Amino acid sequence: AQSVTQLDSHVSVSEGTPVLLRCNYSSSYSPSLFWYVQHPNKGLQLLLKYTSAATLVKGINGFEAEFKKSETSFHLTKPSAHMSDAAEYFCVVSAMNRDDKIIFGKGTRLHILP
Amino acid sequence: GAVVSQHPSRVICKSGTSVKIECRSLDFQATTMFWYRQFPKQSLMLMATSNEGSKATYEQGVEKDKFLINHASLTLSTLTVTSAHPEDSSFYICSAATGQGLRGYTFGSGTRLTVV
């Protein structure tokens, strides 16, 4: 069975400070993990993905995430927040098995304070 | 709250037939819904944005005549794959804008379509 837990429903950080969005997963198979961002009235945009290559994954807009198997985590980070980062972020797990499907976390709303 | 129900979860159909996938918002009104597809080991691809009472907006490269989207009410959007072919086999998922609370969007559980 697969599951994804985004530990925070909303996160507020000041502009210019680091961002940490937490995600834990469980999967019976080797998972692929994704982070997506969704801005108001827009579709999902892929930030980055992990598919069993390097454990530190760099994405767009300065975001990166580290796959830690021992902690079953895939937290999303950014060194310095920008106002345009305010959006909703989704952690997604996908495992390629016979009944493969994707599982979405419930999302984390990121607020950027001026 | 903010639950989206997507049906069916799995469907197998013959090549040339049409398949309808439903996406319902159970406890809220969704003026905007999104339809995505995913191929194995790839990321989600936005197919179209569906707004209640108006025509859907399709992403570049998505055939509007093949993937018919209807959003006739505030709680139901449907995606019909017409004249399905094996290359249409994929995982389709919808999401709805809740327009309320801290979680702005919620997702259906997805539909695995296999065309044989």
Side-chain angles (χ1 to χ4, degrees):
Chain A
Q2 301 171 81
S3 68
V4 177
T5 302
Q6 288 184 245
L7 297 159
D8 306 296
S9 59
H10 66 103
V11 170
S12 295
V13 302
S14 297
E15 189 175 20
T17 64
V19 175
L20 170 64
L21 304 183
R22 298 183 293 169
C23 174
N24 287 91
Y25 71 93
S26 68
S27 177
S28 303
Y29 300 85
S30 296
S32 294
L33 293 158
F34 306 81
W35 274 100
Y36 292 89
V37 60
Q38 187 159 22
H39 292 274
N41 301 315
K42 302 282 188 180
L44 289 174
Q45 180 183 19
L46 177 68
L47 284 176
L48 48 81
K49 65 179 179 180
Y50 165 79
T51 54
S52 75
T55 57
L56 182 61
V57 183
K58 294 186 182 299
I60 63 171
N61 301 336
F63 285 95
E64 62 182 40
E66 186 171 6
F67 174 71
K68 292 186 176 180
K69 188 175 182 179
S70 61
E71 299 176 11
T72 60
S73 69
F74 191 58
H75 301 332
L76 180 70
T77 61
K78 182 173 180 177
S80 177
H82 192 273
M83 292 300 291
S84 61
D85 295 327
E88 192 154 2
Y89 292 78
F90 293 93
C91 181
V92 177
V93 65
S94 174
M96 297 298 111
N97 57 10
R98 186 173 180 176
D99 293 314
D100 66 288
K101 62 185 299 184
I102 59 174
I103 305 293
F104 279 80
K106 291 187 180 299
T108 299
R109 179 69 64 87
L110 178 61
H111 304 272
I112 309 298
L113 307 173
Chain B
V3 176
V4 170
S5 175
Q6 185 173 344
H7 291 282
S9 58
R10 299 176 65 87
V11 58
I12 300 173
C13 70
K14 290 186 177 181
S15 186
T17 61
S18 296
V19 174
K20 180 184 285 188
I21 302 170
E22 292 188 348
C23 185
R24 291 181 185 273
S25 57
L26 297 185
D27 50 3
F28 66 99
Q29 294 182 332
T31 55
T32 302
M33 288 189 177
F34 302 89
W35 286 96
Y36 301 87
R37 68 184 297 184
Q38 184 193 31
F39 294 103
K41 292 192 177 296
Q42 297 187 25
S43 60
L44 288 170
M45 181 188 79
L46 177 64
M47 298 175 68
T49 302
S50 166
N51 292 295
E52 186 268 337
S54 63
K55 291 183 178 180
T57 302
Y58 290 81
E59 296 299 303
Q60 191 173 10
V62 178
E63 300 175 61
K64 62 178 69 175
D65 293 331
K66 181 169 185 62
F67 298 99
L68 300 178
I69 292 173
N70 184 286
H71 195 160
S73 79
L74 287 170
T75 60
L76 175 64
S77 177
T78 60
L79 167 67
T80 302
V81 183
T82 62
S83 186
H85 291 281
E87 58 265 30
D88 299 323
S89 298
S90 189
F91 187 80
Y92 295 85
I93 194 165
C94 65
S95 78
T98 65
Q100 58 187 329
L102 294 172
R103 302 192 189 282
Y105 302 91
T106 190
F107 290 83
S109 55
T111 298
R112 166 65 59 190
L113 171 63
T114 303
V115 185
V116 297

